[in-house]
Amino acid sequence: MRMRRFRQADWDEPLIFELGWEGRAGFSVPAVEPEVRDEVGEVEELIPINILREEPPRLPEVSEVEVLRHYIHLSQMNYGVNSSGIYPLGSCTMKYNPVINEVLASNPALTEIHPDQDEATIQGILELLYRLKIWLQELTGMEDGSLEPAAGAQGEFLGNLIMRAYHADRGELERRREVIIPDSAHGTNPASAAMAGFKVVEVPSGEDGCVDLEALKSVVGEGTAGLMLTNPNTLGIFESRISEIAEIVHRAGGLMYYDGANLNALMGRCRPGDMGFDIVHLNLHKTFSTPHGGGGPGSGPVLVKAFLSDYLPVPVVVYRDGLYRLSYDRPKTVGKVHGYYGNISPILKAYAYILSMGGEGLREASEIAVLNSNYLAQRLKDVRGLSLPYAPGVPRKHEFVLSASKMAEETGVRALHIAKRLLDYGIHAPTIYFPLIVPEALMIEPTETEPLEALDRLVEAFEEISSLAYSKPEEVQSSPRNTTVGRLDDVKASHPRTMCLSYRMLRKTR
Ligand SMILES: *Cc1c(COP(=O)(O)O)cnc(C)c1O
């Protein structure tokens, strides 16, 4: 074979590979037997001329061991809750990922079936979907539901479509155009309501961090389609006047929507259904332990009270005559929101998680999550330059929000700098600048699985960062230093024109 080896000196552009040496290879191909060659000719002659390369591909020449080491090293450069440590993002519930979930979710008996198969041949998965829905209803105090939505945001959208369908059915959609949302809400809430065609009306939070009741009364009325609320809210504070809020909204003919992203704070202890909510979404990937750092796949089931059952998406898993079946018999359905029955893998993981924890276990998990969060909140609020705005004396639930505005004023070190400096300690950054009602916000949710030492380590890191901020602020501002890549340009990093998705693009942008 006349294979020409690629020579690095041939590059007329700068080298972009750091590994590789001419002549090194990770494979060996046996020489073509002379008899075979005589019969079929040179390899080059076998390949159609129009697809024959004139030059070898510009790839690094590396041995097998080098390739293996390279990729395994890359895979380990990630920060992971199962490999590195605490992942204190607030409003995200980055739980640990139990191995038993992966065992169930990768079982070929479940992964190798197809949703188009005959119902009689997929009784197992149908039973599992049927049971999970009942468990979720039980946990939330609701009476029916759908596992179709692929994320919390899509659940919100579906919930808003259900509100529309309900009001339309009663001939009131014309005037009920408004969905009320507190200013502490997650951004997906107003986005979902707007996408469903509603006008968003913002209601402010009071000094206690809860919905301002007087302000609520002043916006609730004939035009109200519903209220979307997160409880505990994004400050980690339980809306203690929730029954009154529900009464105000219901009396005006509106529906109560529960954003269940924070269910980790109260599962097994109290239920949105009992608080007066009519529609609930859950984020299975948050509360029920599916890894979701890379963006998915998620699952955002929607649960409803019985009077909204008719509007749920189809199909519904029903149990009839000894068989689980997919029923499309729902004339008033809002339609499908996802292909087939939703994202199955997070659904399987939630099933395994709930089954392995049991009712008592779920309740205990949320208690410890709340305990961990209050321990951290109490210790961190006293760190110089930090504070716990909104009712500092009121216990938080599973998460809390600090403000670094004092430190920013006194030293120029902002929440962003603190988050970046934490990376130098090998600690994942918390959520920053959310919720919008807290200036220089640092939002922290430790979850139930972090031991005391991990919490103390986080406190120590914050204390050291604070004292550095007051002595050498530039050092904090120019962090991180110990990470593989330094400070990224946030805008460029996510801009399609500058994002490099392959080595070819990298060469162009250099
Ligand atoms: C995460 C979150 C959402 C959105 O859920 P996704 O599953 O990410 O679409 C909505 N509200 C709150 C409070 C959240 O934390």
Side-chain angles (χ1 to χ4, degrees):
M1 267 204 304
R2 280 174 288 129
M3 271 283 269
R4 195 162 65 95
R5 280 229 167 268
F6 170 62
R7 245 175 277 279
Q8 295 199 330
D10 288 352
W11 288 75
D12 47 11
E13 288 158 85
L15 253 187
I16 59 156
F17 297 112
E18 286 141 13
L19 292 179
W21 204 251
E22 190 195 338
R24 220 168 265 177
F27 61 91
S28 68
V29 187
V32 182
E33 305 282 331
E35 315 83 78
V36 177
R37 195 168 47 211
D38 288 348
E39 203 176 307
V40 300
E42 293 290 339
V43 172
E44 283 86 343
E45 288 161 22
L46 291 173
I47 299 172
I49 193 83
N50 59 331
I51 59 165
L52 192 63
R53 280 183 187 279
E54 286 179 4
E55 282 178 45
R58 300 188 152 190
L59 294 171
E61 295 182 65
V62 278
S63 71
E64 182 183 346
V65 174
E66 283 169 321
V67 171
L68 261 181
R69 286 184 185 152
H70 174 65
Y71 282 106
I72 290 185
H73 175 65
L74 283 184
S75 76
Q76 290 172 341
M77 279 164 67
N78 263 336
Y79 189 96
V81 75
N82 279 9
S83 58
S84 313
I86 190 170
Y87 215 117
L89 292 181
S91 188
C92 276
T93 310
M94 302 299 283
K95 278 178 182 261
Y96 82 118
N97 312 126
V99 176
I100 192 158
N101 290 4
E102 305 300 324
V103 173
L104 178 74
S106 57
N107 184 336
L110 293 165
T111 57
E112 289 180 11
I113 53 180
H114 192 279
D116 278 339
Q117 268 175 245
D118 188 87
E119 282 163 11
T121 67
I122 48 169
Q123 286 295 297
I125 186 92
L126 293 182
E127 179 177 356
L128 197 147
L129 298 174
Y130 184 85
R131 284 169 60 170
L132 179 65
K133 196 181 87 177
I134 290 176
W135 293 346
L136 298 179
Q137 286 168 205
E138 181 62 30
L139 269 165
T140 53
M142 306 306 277
E143 293 154 344
D144 203 350
S146 166
L147 305 179
E148 245 179 62
Q154 203 186 15
E156 293 168 26
F157 179 59
L158 171 59
N160 276 277
L161 292 183
I162 291 173
M163 280 199 227
R164 267 188 86 100
Y166 167 79
H167 292 306
D169 222 7
R170 296 159 54 96
E172 294 187 0
L173 186 61
E174 285 302 303
R175 66 176 166 95
R176 296 200 182 270
R177 308 299 312 177
E178 295 175 357
V179 169
I180 301 167
I181 302 175
D183 58 2
S184 59
H186 193 272
T188 49
N189 288 190
S192 308
M195 271 183 74
F198 289 115
K199 180 171 169 263
V200 174
V201 177
E202 190 178 277
V203 61
S205 307
E207 274 172 22
D208 58 357
C210 294
V211 173
D212 181 332
L213 279 197
E214 291 313 310
L216 178 66
K217 284 180 195 159
S218 72
V219 294
V220 167
E222 292 232 311
T224 302
L227 169 80
M228 295 181 82
L229 199 67
T230 313
N231 197 18
N233 60 32
T234 58
L235 295 169
I237 299 175
F238 189 83
E239 296 277 351
S240 51
R241 292 183 302 263
I242 185 60
S243 305
E244 232 178 308
I245 294 173
E247 206 190 309
I248 293 169
V249 173
H250 282 151
R251 214 185 303 127
L255 295 177
M256 289 284 290
Y257 182 95
Y258 182 83
D259 177 332
N262 291 349
L263 196 77
N264 209 40
L266 38 78
M267 58 179 174
R269 186 157 276 278
C270 60
R271 313 189 301 173
D274 303 333
M275 297 174 204
F277 287 96
D278 306 300
I279 311 173
V280 170
H281 89 249
L282 298 180
N283 307 61
L284 296 189
H285 46 285
K286 294 182 183 175
T287 313
F288 302 100
S289 76
T290 285
H292 57 283
S299 176
V302 165
L303 293 314
V304 297
K305 290 276 172 67
F307 73 97
L308 295 172
S309 215
D310 288 351
Y311 312 111
L312 287 169
V314 284
V316 189
V317 185
V318 295
Y319 185 66
R320 219 185 296 128
D321 308 327
L323 274 186
Y324 292 95
R325 299 165 197 274
L326 293 165
S327 165
Y328 286 83
D329 182 21
R330 220 168 259 221
K332 290 184 180 173
T333 175
V334 298
K336 289 184 75 66
V337 294
H338 194 283
Y340 296 113
Y341 328 117
N343 275 338
I344 293 296
S345 98
I347 288 175
L348 295 177
K349 289 174 189 179
Y351 184 90
Y353 181 70
I354 294 175
L355 197 59
S356 59
M357 297 291 281
E360 273 304 305
L362 292 178
R363 184 186 160 99
E364 199 183 333
S366 95
E367 280 174 10
I368 300 172
V370 171
L371 180 67
N372 277 356
S373 149
N374 279 287
Y375 174 78
L376 271 186
Q378 287 308 310
R379 292 209 53 197
L380 288 176
K381 79 175 181 11
D382 295 332
V383 172
R384 186 172 177 201
L386 299 181
S387 65
L388 185 67
Y390 293 101
V394 172
R396 292 325 196 234
K397 292 290 178 245
H398 65 309
E399 70 188 3
F400 60 95
V401 183
L402 298 167
S403 172
S405 57
K406 191 154 177 275
M407 192 184 296
E409 270 162 37
E410 292 171 353
T411 70
V413 169
R414 307 184 55 204
L416 173 77
H417 304 133
I418 299 174
K420 296 289 184 193
R421 182 68 180 177
L422 278 170
L423 306 181
D424 280 338
Y425 286 83
I427 296 175
H428 196 283
T431 300
I432 51 174
Y433 300 108
F434 176 76
L436 305 177
I437 55 174
V438 174
E440 296 300 325
L442 288 151
M443 185 188 207
I444 297 176
E445 178 180 0
T447 78
E448 64 277 8
T449 38
E450 291 309 324
L452 186 59
E453 310 84 77
L455 305 182
D456 286 340
R457 208 173 143 247
L458 186 67
V459 174
E460 274 163 35
F462 266 96
E463 284 168 347
E464 283 181 30
I465 293 170
S466 165
S467 61
L468 193 62
Y470 282 91
S471 55
K472 297 180 197 144
E474 338 63 67
E475 276 196 30
V476 186
Q477 287 161 335
S478 58
S479 297
R481 288 141 191 263
N482 302 339
T483 49
T484 314
V485 287
R487 196 64 160 271
L488 297 175
D489 182 323
D490 294 346
V491 179
K492 271 192 178 167
S494 57
H495 196 288
R497 286 185 65 144
T498 46
M499 214 161 21
C500 292
L501 298 174
S502 81
Y503 75 92
R504 287 192 188 89
M505 293 173 73
L506 183 65
R507 205 162 54 199
K508 269 195 215 129
T509 55
R510 275 230 170 143

